[in-house]
Amino acid sequence: IKSIDPIKRYKYLEELYIQHTSVESLDALRGMQRLESLGISHTKVSSLEPLMHLRGLRNLYCYNTNISEEDIERFKKEQPKCKVVTEDF
């Protein structure tokens, strides 16, 4: 899987796990206010910007990605209720 664009039509999606894929962009998730849990570990994602305003997000698994530490810290400040996992168990 390289793109999650077809997911745009599922506005009521609550969980999405796309680990171990070639996905690079999360733009398709903009506006998915019901999304609560997202797994993007082991992907080529490099930005959390599309998730900044998803107030329902409670769990984000994002280890082994191209996301900078600065972007992760900015996300944590913007989304204090979201648990962010950046290390493999």
Side-chain angles (χ1 to χ4, degrees), residues 47-50 52 68-80:
S47 174
L48 295 176
E49 195 277 327
M52 290 295 179
S68 71
E69 188 62 40
E70 294 154 349
D71 203 25
I72 290 170
E73 289 305 315
R74 194 180 80 166
F75 179 80
K76 286 178 178 179
K77 287 179 184 175
E78 186 71 29
Q79 295 283 14

Side-chain angles (χ1 to χ4, degrees), residues 21-34:
T21 65
S22 296
V23 171
E24 295 179 4
S25 172
L26 300 176
D27 286 339
L29 303 181
R30 291 182 191 274
M32 291 201 165
Q33 296 301 324
R34 293 191 181 202

